[in-house]
Amino acid sequence: MGGKQLGFSDYELTTAKKQTKREKFLAEMEAVVPWQALTALIEPHYPKASKKGGRPPYPLATMLRIHLLQQWYSLSDPAMEEALIEVPTMRRFAGIELISDRIPDETTILTFRHLLEKHKLGEQIFETVNTHLSERGMTMRQGTIVDATLIAAPSSTKNKEGKRDPEMHQTKKGNQWYFGMKVHAGVDKDSGLIHSVVVTAANVHDLIPAAELLYGEEEVVYGDAGYQGIANRPEMAGKTMEFRVAMRPGKRRALPDTPEGRLQDLIETAKAHIRSKGEHPFRVIKQQFGFQKTKLRGLAKNRCKINVLAALSNLFQARQQLLATA
């Protein structure tokens, strides 16, 4: 099994039958994920075969592919094991043959995730993917859109500890209360790709991690009304970029019906149009990849997951450019 080539895309693209959506998606991901760089990143931390004999570990390439399948299809560890048994397309993508190969069970899948969390490899996967994109001309240099989204966490206390996740918190948005965490992202205003990501409890104000979302060379920063006052933050002292933050909705509604008022409203519309690019990665993560509620407890585990999802979101959004240059 160790020496097998994982020729998923070749197989899928030459098969006579019509491709399913899943086959097309996985063939594209096969082509755009920097497999070699990611394997080299994880390999120093991955267990080696024991010289004393015993069952060898699964090939790293297979476990990495299974982990990415989990993110793309929002599958728990037991659901991922079942999918490998039941779905031939996923099995082929992972490089597993049902007859001759062992299928990793949910404990093996969990152990691999814990390996990534322990060594903070989620963050390094995100950096490796962004380096890969930068090397292919997808640099992020002129401006940043800062934005945040809420991810719900289970509020049930029906678990071993008998309580809600202590690292998640409650916050109010509009007239509704949410319990969970918040993902803050710095997104390139031109490409719509994420260049920085911070994970906090849901009750942390958007302004607090805002400086961490900037790479420091932006000429302009866009944000919604939640970022009002960003330029006056002490951590922004000495920064020369221009902040284009949305007007508060109430103030915008009160704009006078005069040439000046209409001009101001047009400026707000233009800012909102640019800002909408900052929401695209969140749409991919929540809608395309189905991550709307966390199954993991604690911010560290979720931070690892979010970094991997941010990397995969960037690859998904850039896939047409990457496929054109492949």
Side-chain angles (χ1 to χ4, degrees), residues 162-177:
K163 56 186 179 181
R164 300 197 299 185
D165 187 339
E167 293 187 29
M168 302 292 165
H169 284 277
Q170 202 163 264
T171 190
K172 194 174 186 182
K173 185 177 180 183
N175 294 319
Q176 197 169 346
W177 285 94

Side-chain angles (χ1 to χ4, degrees), residues 72-103:
W72 287 320
Y73 295 101
S74 193
L75 296 170
S76 65
D77 301 328
M80 187 68 247
E81 180 188 352
E82 282 187 21
L84 290 170
I85 295 167
E86 295 172 357
V87 185
T89 312
M90 288 193 178
R91 217 163 39 242
R92 283 196 297 270
F93 184 83
I96 296 170
E97 291 175 11
L98 191 57
I99 297 169
S100 60
D101 293 338
R102 295 177 291 132
I103 287 182

Side-chain angles (χ1 to χ4, degrees), residues 257-272:
D257 188 15
T258 62
E260 293 79 10
R262 288 193 290 272
L263 175 61
Q264 190 63 51
D265 191 61
L266 282 172
I267 291 168
E268 289 302 309
T269 301
K271 287 195 287 191

Side-chain angles (χ1 to χ4, degrees), residues 151-192:
I151 302 286
S155 56
S156 170
T157 56
K158 292 177 181 175
N159 52 51
K160 265 193 309 189
E161 293 83 6
K163 56 186 179 181
R164 300 197 299 185
D165 187 339
E167 293 187 29
M168 302 292 165
H169 284 277
Q170 202 163 264
T171 190
K172 194 174 186 182
K173 185 177 180 183
N175 294 319
Q176 197 169 346
W177 285 94
Y178 294 86
F179 176 76
M181 64 181 188
K182 198 179 273 189
V183 179
H184 309 258
V187 176
D188 178 62
K189 81 172 182 70
D190 295 317
S191 67

Side-chain angles (χ1 to χ4, degrees), residues 7-27:
F8 175 83
S9 58
D10 293 338
Y11 174 87
E12 294 301 337
L13 294 173
T14 56
T15 186
K17 69 181 178 65
K18 183 183 175 184
Q19 271 191 317
T20 64
K21 282 184 181 176
R22 180 185 282 131
E23 287 168 340
K24 182 175 185 293
F25 172 79
L26 290 179

Side-chain angles (χ1 to χ4, degrees), residues 178-241:
Y178 294 86
F179 176 76
M181 64 181 188
K182 198 179 273 189
V183 179
H184 309 258
V187 176
D188 178 62
K189 81 172 182 70
D190 295 317
S191 67
L193 301 178
I194 302 173
H195 62 67
S196 49
V197 64
V198 175
V199 178
T200 68
N203 62 339
V204 173
H205 195 284
D206 294 354
L207 281 172
I208 291 172
E212 296 177 65
L213 303 177
L214 309 180
Y215 52 79
E217 297 170 25
E218 295 95 339
E219 295 170 9
V220 62
V221 176
Y222 291 86
D224 63 27
Y227 293 92
Q228 282 283 345
I230 187 172
N232 301 323
R233 301 279 300 179
E235 58 268 29
M236 297 300 178
K239 295 194 184 293
T240 57
M241 67 275 292

